[in-house]
Amino acid sequence: MIKFSLICVLIMSITLGACSGKQHDDKSANDTLGTISENKQADSSHNSNEEINQISKSDNGGLDSVEERIKLTFNNQEVIVKMYDNPTSRDFLTQLPLTLTLEDYTRTEKITYLPHKLSTEKAPSGIDPAVGDFTYYAPWGNLAIFYNDFGYSSGLVLLGKIESGIEELASIREDFTVTMEKLDKNN
């Protein structure tokens, strides 16, 4: 019984010693982070408003939409996609018009393979796609058009967002041919 009590006291002593050391380390880390944050704030106060606006505009992840829309035509139906302004999206637009076969993939997305892989310059490492996202899956070199929600996917690049017609796209289960083309800017 005495041995058991001594072992418990020893374990408690070691645990408390480790905890008190951690608190000290956390305080040092917080002090360091506070100093770094203060230095960043001091440095940023030297930037002009114009510089700050340029930084925020350029650091948008390429999600600015452009006045570029594409139309997907299939089975007498149309899907309209508003494209985002990023290098991968712009590279895709240079390949249009295209006629491709879409297939259903895991009852979540429609996929098709492009004639040429797209640039992934400045692309994020991945995204968490939502319903209506028009994307490019870089590892396989295919388009992926999401009609159901899905989790984060490494290698997925957002090209645009479906504005209309998602229901028609989602309702087709078999493979089908689609024509993709740029819409006239007046439409």
Side-chain angles (χ1 to χ4, degrees):
M1 185 68 152
I2 293 176
K3 277 185 171 179
F4 179 75
S5 296
L6 287 173
I7 291 173
C8 287
V9 168
L10 180 61
I11 291 172
M12 289 176 60
S13 298
I14 291 170
T15 304
L16 289 173
C19 288
S20 67
K22 182 171 180 353
Q23 288 173 346
H24 176 70
D25 290 344
D26 286 349
K27 183 180 182 330
S28 297
N30 285 337
D31 289 345
T32 302
L33 288 174
T35 303
I36 291 170
S37 178
E38 288 168 8
N39 288 342
K40 281 187 175 181
Q41 287 175 351
D43 287 345
S44 68
S45 68
H46 292 96
N47 289 337
S48 69
N49 285 338
E50 184 177 321
E51 289 172 321
I52 292 169
N53 287 337
Q54 286 175 351
I55 290 168
S56 64
K57 284 180 186 173
S58 65
D59 190 23
N60 61 9
L63 296 183
D64 284 340
S65 57
V66 293
E67 291 304 315
E68 196 76 59
R69 285 181 171 73
I70 63 169
K71 176 174 67 171
L72 284 57
T73 308
F74 56 93
N75 299 347
N76 295 319
Q77 304 288 327
E78 289 183 355
V79 172
I80 305 299
V81 180
K82 187 169 190 178
M83 302 302 290
Y84 291 124
D85 187 16
N86 62 52
T88 309
S89 181
R90 287 190 297 270
D91 192 19
F92 169 72
L93 290 169
T94 66
Q95 292 190 24
L96 297 180
L98 291 169
T99 299
L100 303 165
T101 300
L102 285 178
E103 61 185 85
D104 197 73
Y105 189 75
T106 66
R107 295 187 183 253
T108 303
E109 61 193 278
K110 303 294 185 188
I111 66 169
T112 188
Y113 294 88
L114 295 170
H116 307 285
K117 286 196 169 197
L118 301 177
S119 165
T120 55
E121 175 189 347
K122 298 182 182 179
S125 60
I127 62 166
D128 184 358
V131 173
D133 283 347
F134 188 82
T135 67
Y136 175 67
Y137 186 57
W140 292 358
N142 67 280
L143 291 179
I145 307 166
F146 287 87
Y147 64 89
N148 277 326
D149 197 23
F150 194 72
Y152 177 86
S153 296
S154 183
L156 200 59
V157 181
L158 192 56
L159 302 177
K161 187 75 171 177
I162 293 178
E163 291 185 322
S164 66
I166 187 75
E167 301 82 15
E168 290 81 10
L169 188 73
S171 68
I172 302 174
R173 294 291 174 225
E174 66 278 350
D175 294 359
F176 60 99
T177 301
V178 63
T179 300
M180 300 180 184
E181 59 190 335
K182 293 179 189 178
L183 270 178
D184 188 9
K185 292 202 190 243
N186 297 326
N187 290 339

